[in-house]
Amino acid sequence: MRKAKIKVIVWGLGAMGKGIVEMLNAKEGVEIVGAVVRGPKIGKSMYELIGIDRGHKKDIIAGSFNDVIKEKVADVVILCTDSFVKDSFEKIKYVLEKKINVISTAEEMAYPKAQEKELSDKIDKIAKENNVTVLGTGINPGLIMDLLVTTLTGACMDVEKIRAERVNNLAPFGPAVMKGQGVGISVDEFNNRVKEGTLAGHVGFPESITMIADAIGWNLSDPIKLERAPIISSVYRKTPYAEVQPGYVAGCNMKGYGYVDGELKIEMLHPQQIEPHLEGGTTGDYITIEGTPNINMSITPEIPGGIGTIAMTVNMIPHVINSRPGLKTMIDLPVPRAIMGDMRDLLED
């Protein structure tokens, strides 16, 4: 085991960034050496910004990306900003050119070639040129509706159809997710934004569907189809990052469909809203595989999205460091697992 701790920089101190800092502080063999913020947050204590006690930890003064991220100053930068590849590209490029590995929570980065083949190829090239690795991960995409589905097909002799459903609570997520889901807006505004193409809903169905298809050898024929519908609240709902009045939108009912030779092969259902229990709703993760044999998996309640994303991001750190250079996805690296000992124990010589 190497003596030096794994050095990590956290870029973005929102809901996910805060949770990642808290988890890293509780782990052995790893230390936070920098935090990247912007605007008035620059120059302030990372711990004060996110409102947690640093205990005996050395204080970290948050700074701009070009002040914090220097060549080889860390082993990994965890990028907790954005949802889309195009918005993340310049940040990822900057870090890679400083010869530091990247783990991104941007949903499209879970399988970027699904919609951004050109940028995906550029990221892979830059990473290889600098002998470092890039991974996009999270709870979904990253685990529940793609990697876990793919893993379960490993027990099948053949597969005819796949259906994945995740019914979850959006409450742990920050303002960017709330805006993308249309939380708190009127039904008319929701429908208008869908027509205009400015309401993303769940980001990641094309990535999850393409990951599964590529992993098991299905060639998607028709374009992936996406549907978005508002989930309308009958009661007042509130989270740290959103507020919904009765009659307004509490979330987005998202559906995705993948076709092989014109036949529906991968179906994804993802109704997500804040605090569904306030109207008697329950959460859960469900996977149905029609094949030999048939497989039905049910996890109730859901694996919490916020905690799951934080854990997936931190737990993949050693696997990213161990990986060969380039752009990787969750089907390329060892299976995720909780790290209860010293994180350095998982590093290869």
Side-chain angles (χ1 to χ4, degrees):
M1 180 180 73
R2 77 176 188 179
K3 293 182 179 180
K5 291 183 177 181
I6 297 170
K7 294 181 172 65
V8 179
I9 292 171
V10 180
W11 188 334
L13 296 178
M16 293 302 103
K18 175 183 177 181
I20 287 166
V21 169
E22 291 176 322
M23 184 171 174
L24 287 169
N25 276 346
K27 292 297 177 182
E28 295 181 57
V30 60
E31 65 175 328
I32 301 170
V33 298
V36 175
V37 294
R38 59 183 180 179
K41 295 180 180 180
I42 292 174
K44 296 184 178 181
S45 164
M46 175 185 74
Y47 294 100
E48 290 180 8
L49 286 171
I50 61 180
I52 64 173
D53 184 2
R54 66 184 176 93
H56 299 295
K57 301 284 185 181
K58 179 182 177 182
D59 199 9
I60 300 295
I61 303 303
S64 63
F65 71 92
N66 52 327
D67 286 334
V68 173
I69 302 173
K70 305 293 185 180
E71 186 166 316
K72 295 184 178 180
V73 75
D75 297 292
V76 177
V77 168
I78 298 179
L79 185 56
C80 309
T81 65
D82 308 309
S83 289
F84 305 102
V85 176
K86 66 180 185 301
D87 297 329
S88 303
F89 175 76
E90 290 298 333
K91 297 169 187 171
I92 293 171
K93 178 176 181 290
Y94 182 87
V95 177
L96 297 179
E97 290 178 342
K98 298 301 179 183
K99 305 188 186 307
I100 303 174
N101 300 295
V102 175
I103 299 177
S104 170
T105 63
E107 293 94 325
E108 284 190 353
M109 280 300 299
Y111 210 71
K113 71 177 184 179
Q115 299 189 85
E116 298 285 357
K117 181 66 166 61
E118 183 177 343
L119 287 179
S120 178
D121 289 342
K122 287 182 179 179
I123 292 170
D124 184 56
K125 182 175 184 291
I126 296 167
K128 289 175 178 174
E129 287 174 347
N130 289 279
N131 199 37
V132 287
T133 300
V134 187
L135 174 71
T137 193
I139 194 69
N140 186 46
L143 178 62
I144 297 300
M145 300 182 82
D146 36 46
L147 180 63
L148 184 55
V149 174
T150 302
T151 301
L152 290 175
T153 67
C156 296
M157 297 176 66
D158 57 68
V159 176
E160 291 298 323
K161 186 177 179 182
I162 291 169
R163 173 177 167 143
E165 181 175 9
R166 177 165 168 81
V167 183
N168 73 318
N169 185 356
L170 284 174
F173 292 93
V177 171
M178 299 301 173
K179 181 179 179 181
Q181 299 289 337
V183 175
I185 66 176
S186 69
V187 176
D188 286 344
E189 184 179 352
F190 182 101
N191 291 329
N192 287 335
R193 285 179 57 191
V194 170
K195 290 178 183 177
E196 295 167 356
T198 59
L199 191 141
H202 170 66
V203 178
F205 272 173
E207 288 68 33
S208 293
I209 291 171
T210 307
M211 183 192 296
I212 294 168
D214 286 352
I216 68 174
W218 276 346
N219 294 316
L220 296 172
S221 52
D222 304 339
I224 292 169
K225 293 183 180 179
L226 302 176
E227 296 178 0
R228 303 168 181 84
I231 298 174
I232 305 167
S233 184
S234 298
V235 300
Y236 174 75
R237 309 187 195 191
K238 182 175 174 58
T239 77
Y241 306 102
E243 185 174 8
V244 177
Q245 299 293 338
Y248 283 72
V249 176
C252 178
N253 188 0
M254 189 87 179
K255 299 179 181 180
Y257 307 97
Y259 299 85
V260 176
D261 295 329
E263 181 181 355
L264 177 62
K265 288 289 191 178
I266 302 174
E267 181 179 11
M268 298 203 161
L269 309 175
H270 196 9
Q272 49 184 341
Q273 58 189 299
I274 64 167
E275 310 295 19
H277 65 278
L278 293 178
E279 294 197 50
T282 58
T283 65
D285 296 303
Y286 313 94
I287 296 171
T288 302
I289 300 172
E290 296 178 18
T292 308
N294 293 326
I295 294 177
N296 291 278
M297 185 215 74
S298 175
I299 300 174
T300 54
E302 61 156 330
I303 299 176
I307 294 172
T309 296
I310 291 162
M312 285 288 292
T313 303
V314 172
N315 288 329
M316 290 306 294
I317 288 173
H319 304 313
V320 167
I321 294 173
N322 289 338
S323 173
R324 296 177 62 183
L327 173 61
K328 305 298 180 184
T329 72
M330 291 302 296
I331 59 174
D332 299 318
L333 299 183
V335 296
R337 77 292 299 267
I339 303 173
M340 303 308 298
D342 193 307
M343 195 173 287
R344 291 169 292 183
D345 290 342
L346 276 73
L347 298 181
E348 298 172 357
D349 294 333

